Each structure stands twice: as structure tokens, then as C-alpha cells.
Amino acid sequence: MSEDDRSMLGRAFLVLGSFTSERPRLSQSELSRRTGLPLPTVHRLCRQLVANGALERIDDGHYEIGVRLWELGALAPRAHGLRQVALPYLEDLYEATRENVQLVVREDLEALYIERLSARGAVTVVGRAGGRLPLHASSGGLVLLAFGGKDLLDGVLAAGLERFTPSTITTEHRLRSTLDDIRRTGWVTCREHLNIGTLAVAAPVSRSTGEVVAAVSVVVPAEKDPAPLIPAVRAAARGISRGVA
């Protein structure tokens, strides 16, 4: 691959990375502003990405992520294989709670949701399948952070602990104390850490080597008692752990 090809690939990923759950549709002008690339370059990249199915152009001239990217993403072993193993246990947990049940993995300094089951009328949550949340502010993210090692914790602290609600963990002391508790107990409860009105319980999914590769969480209304949820979430996480290679 030539230097020009590598440069073009990098620019293409800049364009694709501009789309978010909050802004799933963008114009070429918006893409130019978000990437810092000249408008003619964005125009050329969009045309090529549409031709290859990575972007789709809608009637008003805006762009959105194409189905081809979803097809490729579904082949990712870390997400696809784990999701296949986890789904029966997530479904059991969902049937037991009839609330939001989630499976998350870590991607850099964020928690990436690779599966979400949610009942009609379940409490509203911030996360969604395919979406990301900060590690320090989500139950699954805290579990992943607890077992992620010193370098990961240093990176999260260096990035800053953003406040989402009055209950969000925003100090190093409280974060370290919480992570110590998670390593000791094997679970975490977060009441209104990310959004008002919700309570989340999460537990780790690990390989036979002890490496934590994911977290299972359930999100319910904040007024609920978390005690009955803890054994159910931990049982689901242990079941998935037995099937993880």
C-alpha cells in the first residue's frame, strides 16, 4: 500500500468516525468541519464510501453509515463470538427482570455496548447497542476498569472524570475505592451515576485464565432494591464466562 493509499484510508476513517449516536446524519459541510478536511476532499471521500456501501446518501443530501459497515462489524470475533455465547444468558436475565440487560466490552477509554435487550416500558437509559459510554460513569464500564490494569486507570484519570449527575464518580479517591470494592466483591451497584432515575448492577465476564473480557449489566428504576438483582447478574456473568474461549 502506497503512502497516498494509507493517507486516503486515514481520511476515510476520519469521515466515518464523525458520525455519532447523537448525529447519525451529516452533510458534507458538517463532515468537513468535524474532520478538518477540505470540502473537495470530503466530497471525493463520500463518493467513494457510498460506492462501496460504507456510507449511504439520503434524499436531503445528508449521509449516514451504510449497511456494509454493519455487515463487516458483525464479523468481528470479539463482539460476534461473545454475543453468541452470551445471548441465552442475557435472555434469561431479561426474562427475570423485564428491564434493560446489556453486554459491554472495552474499547480504548470507553465501554462499548455490543448487545442490549429492553422491554417496552423499561426505564430509559443512555446507552444503546453499538453505543459508547465513559468507563467511570457506567456500571459495566466500572467493572471493566476495575480489572483493566494500572495503565488503563491512569488513562481514564488523565482524560478527566466528567460529571453526568450529582452521583457520578468524579474524584480519584472515590474511583479507586469503588474499583477496590468491585475486585473484592465481583459486582458493582451504581445508583444514578449516569442519568437520574436509574440504578444499574454489573458483574464481570472472564476467561478461564481470569482475564475479564466483558461485563453484564441490568438497569432498573432507581427506587428498586438492588439486592435481588445481584445474584441474577452474577449468575448470568458466570454462565457466559464458562462459554468464553
Side-chain angles (χ1 to χ4, degrees):
M1 181 181 291
S2 69
E3 189 65 33
D4 285 344
D5 288 337
R6 283 193 293 269
S7 177
M8 184 61 71
L9 182 60
R11 292 172 185 169
F13 271 96
L14 278 177
V15 169
L16 295 172
S18 297
F19 294 88
T20 66
S21 58
E22 292 78 22
R23 296 299 305 274
R25 295 182 176 183
L26 296 169
S27 67
Q28 288 189 8
S29 296
E30 290 170 324
L31 287 168
S32 178
R33 287 195 298 272
R34 285 174 173 243
T35 61
L37 296 173
L39 192 56
T41 300
V42 170
H43 176 75
R44 183 169 66 254
L45 285 168
C46 286
R47 186 174 66 248
Q48 294 171 342
L49 289 167
V50 167
N52 287 280
L55 286 182
E56 293 179 3
R57 189 175 187 274
I58 53 181
D59 291 343
D60 64 0
H62 285 66
Y63 293 84
E64 58 188 15
I65 295 294
V67 174
R68 180 58 177 154
L69 283 188
W70 177 85
E71 292 176 320
L72 292 173
L75 298 175
R78 187 157 67 100
H80 179 64
L82 180 59
R83 180 181 174 277
Q84 281 190 317
V85 170
L87 200 52
Y89 299 97
L90 298 178
E91 289 172 341
D92 287 346
L93 185 58
Y94 166 78
E95 289 298 331
T97 63
R98 304 301 293 180
E99 288 286 354
N100 301 284
V101 173
Q102 302 162 147
L103 180 68
V104 304
V105 297
R106 182 175 68 84
E107 187 66 24
D108 196 18
L109 299 182
E110 296 175 301
L112 173 65
Y113 289 75
I114 62 174
E115 185 55 85
R116 152 74 62 73
L117 303 178
S118 183
R120 184 187 300 273
V123 64
T124 301
V125 295
V126 174
R128 63 178 181 83
R132 301 184 183 211
L133 293 173
L135 294 176
H136 76 283
S138 58
S139 61
L142 282 168
V143 167
L144 296 171
L145 183 55
F147 297 98
K150 180 181 182 300
D151 289 346
L152 176 61
L153 178 56
D154 288 345
V156 168
L157 290 172
L161 304 178
E162 182 180 356
R163 182 184 297 277
F164 294 89
T165 75
S167 298
T168 304
I169 297 173
T170 56
T171 68
E172 179 177 347
H173 175 75
R174 185 182 170 202
L175 179 60
R176 289 186 182 275
S177 176
T178 300
L179 299 182
D180 285 343
D181 287 343
I182 294 171
R183 287 188 286 266
R184 177 174 55 83
T185 64
W187 53 271
V188 68
T189 297
C190 299
R191 192 184 301 274
E192 299 186 320
H193 282 204
L194 192 59
N195 54 313
I196 299 296
T198 66
L199 178 145
V201 178
V205 173
S206 59
R207 301 186 192 275
S208 58
T209 60
E211 177 194 3
V212 171
V213 295
V216 174
S217 65
V218 60
V219 184
V220 302
E223 62 270 17
K224 283 201 172 184
D225 179 6
L229 298 172
I230 295 168
V233 173
R234 297 190 72 189
R238 285 194 298 267
I240 298 168
S241 296
R242 287 193 293 268
V244 174

